[in-house]
Amino acid sequence: MTAPVIELCDVSRRYDDGPPALHDVSLTVRAGEAVAVLGPSGSGKSTLLNLIAGLDRPDTGTVTVDGVRVDGLGEAGAARYRRAKIGMVFQFFNLLDDLTVADNVVLPAQLAGMGRGGAARRAAELLDVLGIGRYADAYPGRLSGGERQRVAVARALMNRPPLLLADEPTGALDTASGEDVGRLLADLNADGQTVVVVTHDLALARSCTTRTIRLVDGGITDATAGAGATESAR
Ligand SMILES: Nc1ncnc2c1ncn2[C@@H]1O[C@H](COP(=O)(O)OP(=O)(O)OP(=O)(O)O)[C@@H](O)[C@H]1O
Ligand SMILES: [Mg+2]
């Protein structure tokens, strides 16, 4: 069994006076797993991802990622943690439109203090591997949605994060581009990348993950182990 990358222990989070967005969620994700988080709108999927990414804090419970206690971090610590441990991919890409594709991709490395030459080489390599090397000097605005999402994946991988998180990565894409992104995530996972994908897209969950977790009203209702996955969601 590989080491845990994510460990959530009895995590709860509620906003204002609403019902809990997450309620007593415990979950272990091990190195090399690819996990899909499914569930209806409002069930707490993005809340779960934000807590793992240190973008939000639980009211109770602990969040540990790659040995870091994330729930106790302040703002600066959380930013440092994200740069070192997390790559994130979002539905609407979140690229900077006035930077070239290559400059978007090197940004996380610059923030982490990596030298310019090394960062540029790694960015070029990633863009080539992801099949978009020819767009390095273009601006994101002229790329298709699928190509933009590839740029976002390259940026997420720049600092070699132990954990790749994706929130509805195919939500803004046509079917063919969505399938491309699914294959890309599956390939990354086959190379050992640990991945957690929040999605409504069952085809995506099937194509690129080994385990499925279902959230309803802020709780895990169902966890299915896929081939090679370990049963570790309670
Ligand atoms: N910043 C916030 N302030 C107040 N309530 C929030 C906030 N973020 C989420 N919520 C509430 O928490 C609950 C869970 O929201 P969350 O965004 O995690 O759902 P989701 O499963 O990602 O939904 P979707 O599939 O629509 O993206 C919802 O009831 C939502 O309204
Ligand atoms: Mg969401």
Side-chain angles (χ1 to χ4, degrees):
M1 228 192 256
T2 57
V5 173
I6 302 174
E7 279 185 296
L8 267 70
C9 203
D10 296 329
V11 166
S12 295
R13 175 73 171 109
R14 85 190 283 170
Y15 296 101
D16 309 320
D17 292 334
L22 280 182
H23 183 64
D24 273 345
V25 168
S26 293
L27 169 71
T28 301
V29 176
R30 293 183 178 279
E33 282 196 284
V35 176
V37 180
L38 301 168
S41 187
S43 59
K45 304 183 297 296
S46 294
T47 301
L48 178 69
L49 223 59
N50 290 340
L51 291 173
I52 294 169
L55 292 165
D56 189 14
R57 281 178 174 216
D59 299 319
T60 56
T62 61
V63 178
T64 308
V65 176
D66 204 37
V68 178
R69 263 294 289 278
V70 179
D71 54 279
L73 295 175
E75 214 168 296
R80 242 188 336 268
Y81 153 74
R82 271 193 300 281
R83 282 201 290 276
K85 304 287 189 188
I86 304 288
M88 284 195 91
V89 177
F90 302 92
Q91 178 172 3
F92 296 108
F93 325 127
N94 292 16
L95 299 172
L96 298 174
D97 288 332
D98 50 358
L99 293 184
T100 65
V101 162
D103 286 344
N104 266 281
V105 175
V106 298
L107 206 55
Q110 283 174 343
L111 293 172
M114 187 178 183
R116 267 178 175 279
R121 271 194 302 279
R122 171 148 178 84
E125 213 176 270
L126 277 168
L127 289 171
D128 278 342
V129 169
L130 300 186
I132 44 175
R134 63 188 178 285
Y135 298 127
D137 298 323
Y139 288 86
R142 58 155 293 200
L143 272 54
S144 74
E147 289 162 351
R148 282 185 223 193
Q149 198 58 298
R150 282 172 178 265
V151 177
V153 171
R155 180 184 56 183
L157 295 173
M158 187 69 202
N159 290 347
R160 296 187 167 84
L163 178 59
L164 182 64
L165 300 175
D167 196 348
E168 300 283 2
T170 63
L173 302 179
D174 60 86
T175 306
S177 304
E179 286 171 2
D180 272 357
V181 168
R183 268 191 294 275
L184 173 55
L185 293 176
D187 288 349
L188 292 171
N189 178 245
D191 286 342
Q193 178 72 55
T194 309
V195 181
V196 175
V197 188
V198 163
T199 185
H200 284 103
D201 182 347
L202 277 176
L204 177 72
R206 277 197 205 100
S207 72
C208 73
T209 65
T210 51
R211 175 148 74 98
T212 296
I213 290 162
R214 198 171 291 277
L215 278 177
V216 173
D217 294 338
I220 294 178
T221 58
D222 183 28
T224 319
T230 48
E231 170 51 40
S232 47
R234 283 182 276 150

